[in-house]
Amino acid sequence: MKMQEKETFGDYSKTFITAVPADLKSEEALFFDERIPKFADEAVYIYSFKQNRMIYASGWEDVLGYKDDEINMLAIVNMSAPEFAHFSHELNDKALKFIHHKTKDLEKYSFTIELKKIHKNGTQVPISARVGVFSSENGKIESIIGRFQVNRSLIFGKVMRYAAYGPEKEKFEEELNKILFSYLAISNKEKEALELVAKGYSFKEIAHALKVSHSAIEKRIIPLYKRFNVKSLTHLVSFAYDNYILP
């Protein structure tokens, strides 16, 4: 199977992404190879916006069938399974745009997404992916790091799951949420509140348990009615179980 490189990724991200793989014999790559932890069923990359290329890759042949010296950022973005591709592209766009407007503590920002990627042999692989800022310089992102872990315990329904992390986590997730009404997706924060709803807790009790305001819980739960086209809390919980949002 030929590595996929057609331009289907997000409009914002494509400005910063190239198909140049890492030179694994470079001093930089060898430095990372000695210091970055490696785990079974996990592939890692570091992409430099400063150099406009991949500068490190490890584990890709075992995870998705590509050699570490051929994998590139454009291919990684474009190998999402069709049902996950558009959401993944827009999530990448929103996340990168949000972080590009930040100047402090950049290395603390990251996001996760659960999706399927297309293996080089054409099969679909369930992946838990985490992408974050690896280094910054003068308040600007210099490079990002991604970890793609095979997770065969994942069960996918119609709903895509993601999470945002960082000093301004609430604002970060709020920005990512702007894309959700075009897709069936749920954040970790929303899922956390929904799990307590399913256990029979009231909004007031959930707010107390999570140490947030009552209105904050309403903002997590009520929008799910429209997003998932349900009419009641009972219907919402049933939908969540049917689509493997809740165990």
Side-chain angles (χ1 to χ4, degrees):
M1 179 181 175
K2 186 177 179 180
M3 189 176 294
Q4 303 173 45
E5 294 187 353
K6 63 179 182 177
E7 297 187 0
T8 58
F9 44 89
D11 290 336
Y12 187 77
S13 299
K14 70 182 179 183
T15 309
F16 307 96
I17 292 175
T18 71
V20 183
D23 176 5
L24 299 181
K25 295 180 181 179
S26 69
E27 288 186 16
E28 191 173 31
L30 293 173
F31 174 84
F32 292 138
D33 198 48
E34 290 181 356
R35 289 163 176 77
I36 292 180
K38 301 174 182 65
F39 301 98
D41 291 328
E42 183 181 69
V44 182
Y45 72 80
I46 300 176
Y47 181 84
S48 171
F49 293 115
K50 190 174 183 179
Q51 299 180 41
N52 293 318
R53 63 177 298 160
M54 198 77 81
I55 57 175
Y56 177 69
S58 176
W60 290 92
E61 191 162 12
D62 287 342
V63 171
L64 289 170
Y66 295 96
K67 294 181 179 179
D68 294 337
D69 61 0
E70 74 171 323
I71 195 69
N72 62 74
M73 197 68 231
L74 180 56
I76 289 174
V77 170
N78 275 329
M79 61 175 63
S80 296
E83 64 268 33
F84 297 90
H86 292 296
F87 178 75
S88 178
H89 296 160
E90 291 199 34
L91 189 70
N92 288 333
D93 267 12
K94 288 286 187 181
L96 187 57
K97 189 177 293 186
F98 178 86
I99 299 172
H100 270 165
H101 284 88
K102 303 302 170 186
T103 58
K104 296 180 180 180
D105 297 320
L106 295 179
E107 286 84 356
K108 296 180 180 179
Y109 285 98
S110 66
F111 69 91
T112 61
I113 182 173
E114 296 174 358
L115 74 172
K116 292 181 182 178
K117 289 285 187 178
I118 305 296
H119 193 280
K120 192 174 184 178
N121 63 17
T123 61
Q124 295 190 3
V125 183
I127 295 288
S128 293
R130 183 161 192 155
V131 180
V133 179
F134 184 69
S135 66
S136 62
E137 185 177 25
N138 298 323
K140 294 183 179 180
I141 302 174
E142 189 176 65
S143 63
I144 58 173
I145 183 169
R147 290 186 174 276
F148 283 42
Q149 185 175 44
V150 178
N151 187 345
R152 302 197 184 282
S153 67
L154 290 176
I155 301 176
F156 296 95
K158 298 178 181 178
V159 181
M160 299 173 196
R161 301 181 288 264
Y162 76 99
Y165 305 91
E168 296 186 37
K169 179 180 178 179
E170 297 293 325
K171 290 183 179 179
F172 191 10
E173 193 162 279
E174 183 179 335
E175 187 63 28
L176 297 182
N177 279 348
K178 292 180 181 179
I179 68 174
L180 294 184
F181 285 110
S182 299
Y183 304 94
L184 292 180
I186 190 166
S187 70
N188 270 12
K189 185 173 64 175
E190 292 166 334
K191 181 182 175 182
E192 180 182 48
L194 186 55
E195 286 175 344
L196 294 176
V197 168
K199 292 179 180 179
Y201 290 93
S202 67
F203 282 11
K204 182 178 180 180
E205 291 171 326
I206 296 171
H208 178 75
L210 300 181
K211 298 180 181 179
V212 297
S213 67
H214 186 278
S215 62
I217 298 304
E218 289 182 338
K219 288 179 181 178
R220 296 183 193 186
I221 298 298
I222 301 304
L224 299 179
Y225 283 49
K226 181 178 180 181
R227 191 185 308 163
F228 299 148
N229 191 29
V230 298
K231 307 300 183 183
S232 65
L233 272 179
T234 302
H235 191 183
L236 176 60
V237 170
S238 175
F239 177 90
Y241 279 118
D242 289 345
N243 287 278
Y244 308 105
I245 297 171
L246 297 176

